[in-house]
Amino acid sequence: MANMQGLVERLERAVSRLESLSAESHRPPGNCGEVNGVIAGVAPSVEAFDKLMDSMVAEFLKNSRILAGDVETHEYQEDRNDLVISETELKQVAYIFKCEKSTLQIKGKVNSIIIDNCKKLGLVFDNVVGIVEVINSQDIQIQVMGRVPTISINKTEGCHIYLSGDALDCEIVSAKSSEMNILIPQDGDYREFPIPEQFKTAWDGSKLITEPAEIMA
């Protein structure tokens, strides 16, 4: 985390330098010398940008490894069932944004996974040490092959979670969501259990007691 904070501070300083170089580029052409190690002239800000991309920005992206659809292109994905992230690290956060009708497999162990604004997405992963979050999405299917301590579902319509035998102690936290189901492995198959969407709350004389409400016919 300290290394990431240092990179962010360096990036902020670099942006200030680029602004200074951009101002220099509007001066009349001539021998402008060097500005922050970059030869000024026709377009010093362009040269500075290239140097920045080859150094600290590349290092920042390598360490953060934020994913938006495909890890290599950072583009939104649609109708893709062959997305695989095989090179993972414990510190990685996988951010999957606006993917539709696609399937993504994440191998190895990562820190956390975020699914944001996706539709008809299938996610298969091995192990997560932190949390898997599903936000503002529709028709999501998640299969846990290993372990995950917590799965959070927020503002989502349709979320089906297949737990492995090692992930049965996973905690599910949900809010403002519907059509959620947990599938538990039993006798070589899965048994489906719905997550309650309605609750009733009553005062017991000293505190509020909340429990799932039975659906009235």
Side-chain angles (χ1 to χ4, degrees):
M1 185 63 70
N3 291 338
M4 289 294 293
Q5 182 62 34
L7 281 171
V8 171
E9 293 175 355
R10 288 164 58 194
L11 284 169
E12 290 175 348
R13 292 195 298 268
V15 169
S16 297
R17 294 201 301 268
L18 282 174
E19 291 175 347
S20 174
L21 288 169
S22 179
E24 291 286 342
S25 66
H26 291 289
R27 294 182 180 179
N31 184 13
C32 299
E34 290 191 0
V35 179
N36 294 307
V38 178
I39 300 175
V42 178
S45 58
V46 174
E47 185 178 351
F49 180 80
D50 289 340
K51 290 188 66 175
L52 189 62
M53 288 302 296
D54 289 336
S55 57
M56 65 182 67
V57 170
E59 185 180 354
F60 177 81
L61 292 175
K62 178 181 178 181
N63 283 295
S64 64
R65 295 298 296 273
I66 296 176
L67 314 179
D70 188 273
V71 64
E72 296 180 356
T73 63
H74 290 205
E75 294 176 352
Y76 303 171
Q77 300 298 316
E78 186 172 355
D79 294 318
R80 292 283 303 275
N81 294 312
D82 57 348
L83 300 174
V84 178
I85 301 172
S86 56
E87 296 182 6
T88 57
E89 298 178 6
L90 187 59
K91 61 186 177 181
Q92 278 185 284
V93 175
Y95 182 61
I96 307 158
F97 183 66
K98 281 196 173 181
C99 292
E100 295 188 20
K101 302 176 183 177
S102 297
T103 301
L104 171 65
Q105 181 179 5
I106 301 178
K107 298 181 179 181
K109 184 180 293 186
V110 296
N111 183 278
S112 58
I113 301 172
I114 302 172
I115 299 174
D116 187 4
N117 271 286
C118 294
K119 295 180 180 180
K120 298 183 182 298
L121 174 74
L123 171 67
V124 181
F125 66 88
D126 290 343
N127 294 282
V128 169
V129 298
I131 186 173
V132 174
E133 297 184 69
V134 184
I135 310 168
N136 296 318
S137 297
Q138 297 178 15
D139 196 6
I140 305 299
Q141 293 196 25
I142 298 174
Q143 182 167 4
V144 185
M145 304 303 293
R147 295 184 58 84
V148 58
T150 307
I151 297 177
S152 172
I153 310 169
N154 193 14
K155 297 180 180 179
T156 293
E157 297 179 6
C159 186
H160 306 276
I161 301 172
Y162 294 78
L163 294 178
S164 68
D166 293 331
L168 297 181
D169 58 349
C170 172
E171 295 183 349
I172 311 296
V173 181
S174 61
K176 300 179 181 180
S177 300
S178 61
E179 302 177 32
M180 300 169 290
N181 294 283
I182 305 300
L183 292 97
I184 305 296
Q186 290 186 357
D187 301 324
D189 202 353
Y190 284 93
R191 184 179 176 186
E192 185 176 279
F193 295 87
I195 296 178
E197 299 175 23
Q198 295 182 341
F199 301 87
K200 60 180 180 181
T201 302
W203 177 255
D204 73 346
S206 61
K207 62 182 179 298
L208 292 175
I209 302 296
T210 299
E211 57 185 22
E214 296 182 2
I215 298 176
M216 303 298 293

